[in-house]
Short mmCIF file of all heavy atoms in Angstrom, two decimals:
data_model
loop_
_atom_site.label_atom_id
_atom_site.label_comp_id
_atom_site.label_asym_id
_atom_site.label_seq_id
_atom_site.Cartn_x
_atom_site.Cartn_y
_atom_site.Cartn_z
N PHE A 449 -16.65 1.30 10.79
CA PHE A 449 -16.93 0.81 12.12
C PHE A 449 -18.04 1.59 12.84
O PHE A 449 -18.90 1.05 13.51
CB PHE A 449 -15.68 0.81 13.01
CG PHE A 449 -14.60 -0.12 12.54
CD1 PHE A 449 -13.25 0.02 12.93
CD2 PHE A 449 -14.90 -1.21 11.65
CE1 PHE A 449 -12.30 -0.85 12.53
CE2 PHE A 449 -13.90 -2.07 11.27
CZ PHE A 449 -12.62 -1.92 11.66
N ALA A 450 -17.99 2.94 12.68
CA ALA A 450 -19.00 3.77 13.31
C ALA A 450 -20.37 3.56 12.75
O ALA A 450 -21.36 3.41 13.51
CB ALA A 450 -18.59 5.25 13.18
N VAL A 451 -20.50 3.49 11.42
CA VAL A 451 -21.77 3.23 10.78
C VAL A 451 -22.32 1.84 11.20
O VAL A 451 -23.51 1.70 11.50
CB VAL A 451 -21.67 3.30 9.25
CG1 VAL A 451 -22.91 2.78 8.56
CG2 VAL A 451 -21.41 4.74 8.82
N SER A 452 -21.42 0.86 11.18
CA SER A 452 -21.82 -0.47 11.53
C SER A 452 -22.32 -0.58 12.99
O SER A 452 -23.31 -1.30 13.24
CB SER A 452 -20.62 -1.43 11.35
OG SER A 452 -21.01 -2.74 11.65
N ALA A 453 -21.72 0.16 13.87
CA ALA A 453 -22.11 0.14 15.30
C ALA A 453 -23.44 0.87 15.48
O ALA A 453 -24.23 0.49 16.35
CB ALA A 453 -21.03 0.77 16.14
N ALA A 454 -23.69 1.90 14.72
CA ALA A 454 -24.95 2.66 14.86
C ALA A 454 -26.11 1.97 14.24
O ALA A 454 -27.21 1.88 14.80
CB ALA A 454 -24.76 4.07 14.24
N ALA A 455 -25.93 1.39 13.04
CA ALA A 455 -27.03 0.80 12.30
C ALA A 455 -27.06 -0.73 12.48
O ALA A 455 -28.11 -1.36 12.20
CB ALA A 455 -26.91 1.14 10.81
N GLY A 456 -25.97 -1.35 12.89
CA GLY A 456 -25.92 -2.80 13.00
C GLY A 456 -25.29 -3.42 11.77
O GLY A 456 -24.88 -4.57 11.82
N PHE A 457 -25.27 -2.69 10.67
CA PHE A 457 -24.68 -3.15 9.41
C PHE A 457 -24.27 -1.93 8.61
O PHE A 457 -24.50 -0.82 9.06
CB PHE A 457 -25.65 -4.07 8.65
CG PHE A 457 -26.79 -3.34 7.98
CD1 PHE A 457 -27.04 -3.47 6.69
CD2 PHE A 457 -27.64 -2.46 8.68
CE1 PHE A 457 -28.09 -2.83 6.02
CE2 PHE A 457 -28.71 -1.84 8.09
CZ PHE A 457 -28.95 -2.01 6.74
N GLY A 458 -23.64 -2.17 7.45
CA GLY A 458 -23.26 -1.03 6.61
C GLY A 458 -21.76 -0.86 6.53
O GLY A 458 -21.31 -0.06 5.77
N GLY A 459 -20.99 -1.54 7.39
CA GLY A 459 -19.59 -1.41 7.34
C GLY A 459 -18.97 -1.80 6.03
O GLY A 459 -18.04 -1.13 5.51
N SER A 460 -19.49 -2.88 5.39
CA SER A 460 -18.95 -3.31 4.12
C SER A 460 -19.25 -2.31 2.99
O SER A 460 -18.54 -2.29 2.02
CB SER A 460 -19.58 -4.69 3.74
OG SER A 460 -20.97 -4.59 3.58
N LEU A 461 -20.25 -1.48 3.20
CA LEU A 461 -20.62 -0.46 2.18
C LEU A 461 -19.41 0.48 1.97
O LEU A 461 -19.17 0.93 0.85
CB LEU A 461 -21.80 0.34 2.68
CG LEU A 461 -22.23 1.58 1.87
CD1 LEU A 461 -22.73 1.16 0.47
CD2 LEU A 461 -23.39 2.31 2.60
N ILE A 462 -18.67 0.76 3.02
CA ILE A 462 -17.51 1.65 2.97
C ILE A 462 -16.21 0.85 2.79
O ILE A 462 -15.34 1.18 1.96
CB ILE A 462 -17.46 2.53 4.20
CG1 ILE A 462 -18.74 3.31 4.38
CG2 ILE A 462 -16.19 3.44 4.18
CD1 ILE A 462 -18.81 4.06 5.71
N LEU A 463 -16.08 -0.20 3.58
CA LEU A 463 -14.81 -0.88 3.71
C LEU A 463 -14.44 -1.72 2.45
O LEU A 463 -13.30 -1.69 2.02
CB LEU A 463 -14.80 -1.79 4.95
CG LEU A 463 -13.47 -2.11 5.58
CD1 LEU A 463 -12.69 -0.82 5.84
CD2 LEU A 463 -13.66 -2.88 6.84
N VAL A 464 -15.40 -2.45 1.95
CA VAL A 464 -15.11 -3.33 0.80
C VAL A 464 -14.62 -2.60 -0.43
O VAL A 464 -13.54 -2.92 -0.98
CB VAL A 464 -16.31 -4.23 0.45
CG1 VAL A 464 -16.08 -4.97 -0.88
CG2 VAL A 464 -16.54 -5.27 1.55
N PRO A 465 -15.32 -1.52 -0.88
CA PRO A 465 -14.80 -0.81 -2.10
C PRO A 465 -13.51 -0.11 -1.86
O PRO A 465 -12.65 -0.06 -2.73
CB PRO A 465 -15.90 0.17 -2.44
CG PRO A 465 -16.70 0.28 -1.15
CD PRO A 465 -16.61 -1.01 -0.47
N THR A 466 -13.27 0.39 -0.62
CA THR A 466 -12.05 1.09 -0.32
C THR A 466 -10.87 0.13 -0.37
O THR A 466 -9.84 0.41 -1.05
CB THR A 466 -12.09 1.73 1.08
OG1 THR A 466 -13.20 2.67 1.12
CG2 THR A 466 -10.80 2.51 1.40
N LEU A 467 -10.95 -0.98 0.30
CA LEU A 467 -9.86 -1.95 0.35
C LEU A 467 -9.71 -2.64 -0.96
O LEU A 467 -8.56 -2.96 -1.39
CB LEU A 467 -10.08 -3.00 1.47
CG LEU A 467 -10.06 -2.43 2.90
CD1 LEU A 467 -10.26 -3.51 3.92
CD2 LEU A 467 -8.71 -1.68 3.17
N ALA A 468 -10.81 -2.89 -1.69
CA ALA A 468 -10.70 -3.50 -2.98
C ALA A 468 -9.98 -2.61 -4.00
O ALA A 468 -9.18 -3.05 -4.83
CB ALA A 468 -12.12 -3.87 -3.54
#
Side-chain angles (χ1 to χ4, degrees):
F449 293 162
V451 170
S452 182
F457 73 127
S460 62
L461 174 64
I462 301 171
L463 205 54
V464 169
T466 301
L467 294 181

